[in-house]
Every structure is written in C-alpha cells, then in structure tokens.
Amino acid sequence: SAKCRYKAVMPPSPLRPAQTLPAPRAGSIGLALCLLVGAGCASVPAEAPSPPAVVPSHDVDRPFKYLFSTRRKIAKRLLGDVFKRKSTFLARKRTNIYKRVRKGDLKADPYNTFQWIIDTSLKYDVTSTFHFLAKSIHPKFDGDYNIDDHVIMDLLKLIHVNAHKIGLHPSFNATIIPGQIEKEFNELKKICENVGIKQKSFKSRNHYLRWNNQSISELEKAGIEIDQTLTFAQKPGFKTGTSISYPAFNFDSMKISS
C-alpha cells in the first residue's frame, strides 16, 4: 500500500530528537511525494532505503598548538596559568611541551591528531577529507600556519599516501573578496603538485562556515566540484533539509550550478 511505501522511505532515525537538528525533512517529503504521486502509486515498487554513508571531513584550522605559536602567545598563556588558573604545574607542563615540540618532537603536540584520525578512518574503512587553509589573510580568525611550510607539506603527503583526500578551507574573508577562493585553490594545487600529490578533484568547506549569495559563483570560478559548507556549526543536522548530495543553485546566473 501507499502507506507502507511511505514508511519505507522514512525509516525511524537511530538518533534521539535531541541529537539531531533537525531531520532531513525536505528529502523525506520529496521521496514520499515521488512514491505517492509518481507513475501511479500502485506501480511504484517499495524499496528499502540505502544505508547511510559515513563521509568524515576535518577542517585544519590549527594543526599544532605550539609549533607555530609565537613566544608572545606562549608567554601570555603562561601568565594565565600562573595568575588566572593559579597553577604553576600547568605552566611548567606547558613550557616542557612547548620546548619538546620546538625541538622537533611533533608527537608531543596535543593538536597533532592526524595519525590517530588516519588510523581510525582505516579501522572503520572510511575516507577522510582534510580541508587546509591555503592563505591566512585575517590575523585574528585565520590559521597560524603557511601551506608551504615543510611540516605542513609532510602532513599533506602523509594524508595522501594513506589514501585520504586533501580539500580547501577558504579563509575567513575569501567569501567576500572576489576571486580569493580561486587564488587560494590555485595555491593549494600548486603545493600538492610540488610534493607529488595528484588528485583529480577537490572538496571545500568555508572557514567559520561563512556563506553568501556569491559563494556558488566563486566556487565555480575556482573549479571546486563539491562544497560542504552548508551545515550547522554547533550540532549535527541537515541545514538544507536533505541528507543527500544535490546540485547547488547559482544566484548570480539564476541557474543550477554546472
């Protein structure tokens, strides 16, 4: 019956309502309408929904806590340990870690979790995408690293040799500067080529999830094929109402993006 087929495309969510914000209602309603008013309700076969795919992605805002920190920033944190947090132990610990990292022991840096992410992705047989900032043009909101630093280039190679993907993380103001996303994408591709990384296509997600009506046009000009910006910052959920990929709409040309 139509009722049974409607339930087939809207299985109960494994997440409790408090864990999701919200359900992919647009996609569910669209599929239901296709079944109910398609080529005759009785002739539409009931099909089990496809199993969900896990596609993890990671924004590389600060790959290291201490490696690229200036002495001024470290001094400020040490003063905070002593006078605000009232902990000389924490200050000594921070100093020791900072010295170890600066001497080349990158595993001591608490933000250096790349190998753990790679190992966990392998454990669950998923491919991760790591979105890197190719330019840092805003002193407060962008990253503290340069994409052409030898440590970052080693990270790119580590990700690539483990069969994961490199993506672009457009900088904070890239969404409001015409042509900036293209510049940053070209820089990322150049660095990848310099270290022997050959990747056919790239994904992107804007820094701080910034988005405006020109975003699609700028991504098209740059040659980005898949963008993952439109999501919630604080909770999991479906900001555009669907859990499946879809062609974006270009508000400049008023056409579906090619």
Side-chain angles (χ1 to χ4, degrees):
S1 66
K3 183 177 181 180
C4 293
R5 296 189 187 108
Y6 182 75
K7 289 183 178 179
V9 298
M10 296 184 62
S13 172
L15 298 176
R16 294 188 297 275
Q19 293 176 297
T20 179
L21 180 69
R25 301 188 186 280
S28 300
I29 293 173
L31 288 172
L33 288 174
C34 286
L35 291 173
L36 291 172
V37 299
C41 186
S43 63
V44 179
E47 296 182 359
S50 301
V54 177
V55 187
S57 57
H58 319 277
D59 295 343
V60 186
D61 294 343
R62 289 186 62 196
F64 299 95
K65 186 174 184 178
Y66 295 111
L67 182 62
F68 301 116
S69 291
T70 63
R71 292 184 178 181
R72 182 179 179 180
K73 288 183 178 180
I74 294 299
K76 184 177 180 180
R77 289 170 182 162
L78 292 175
L79 290 173
D81 292 337
V82 175
F83 295 104
K84 183 177 180 179
R85 290 174 282 276
K86 309 294 183 182
S87 175
T88 56
F89 169 78
L90 184 57
R92 291 195 301 270
K93 181 180 178 181
R94 189 187 302 276
T95 301
N96 290 333
I97 294 175
Y98 174 73
K99 289 180 177 179
R100 288 174 59 187
V101 172
R102 296 293 290 184
K103 289 180 180 179
D105 185 7
L106 301 183
K107 292 182 179 180
D109 195 297
Y111 285 5
N112 184 11
T113 58
F114 291 92
Q115 190 61 58
W116 178 84
I117 294 174
I118 289 171
D119 293 340
T120 304
S121 298
L122 177 63
K123 178 181 178 181
Y124 293 100
D125 192 26
V126 295
T127 300
S128 284
T129 299
F130 296 81
H131 299 288
F132 281 84
L133 286 157
K135 291 284 186 181
S136 294
I137 57 179
H138 196 294
K140 182 177 180 180
F141 296 116
D142 284 334
D144 59 357
Y145 64 93
N146 294 319
I147 193 68
D148 59 354
D149 188 282
H150 71 94
V151 175
I152 301 300
M153 291 192 291
D154 286 343
L155 278 178
L156 295 173
K157 289 188 287 186
L158 175 68
I159 292 166
H160 180 68
V161 298
N162 282 277
H164 295 291
K165 301 296 183 181
I166 307 298
L168 177 67
H169 197 35
S171 60
F172 186 78
N173 281 335
T175 56
I176 61 174
I177 302 176
Q180 183 62 30
I181 292 179
E182 184 176 10
K183 291 179 181 178
E184 296 180 12
F185 186 38
N186 288 338
E187 181 68 17
L188 177 64
K189 290 190 294 183
K190 183 181 75 174
I191 296 300
C192 286
E193 291 174 2
N194 289 345
V195 297
I197 296 175
K198 296 180 180 180
Q199 190 171 297
K200 292 183 179 180
S201 61
F202 289 79
K203 298 178 182 179
S204 68
R205 180 161 54 237
N206 291 341
H207 200 27
Y208 282 83
L209 305 180
R210 283 159 68 85
W211 191 263
N212 57 40
N213 288 348
Q214 285 72 48
S215 294
I216 294 298
S217 290
E218 293 300 314
L219 291 168
E220 285 183 344
K221 293 175 185 176
I224 298 290
E225 296 184 9
I226 299 175
D227 184 80
Q228 300 174 316
T229 300
L230 290 177
T231 184
F232 293 108
Q234 301 298 330
K235 295 182 180 181
F238 307 93
K239 192 170 186 176
T240 59
T242 180
S243 60
I244 61 176
S245 300
Y246 59 93
F249 187 81
N250 188 322
F251 284 93
D252 284 342
S253 64
M254 297 304 290
K255 295 179 180 179
I256 296 176
S257 175
S258 57

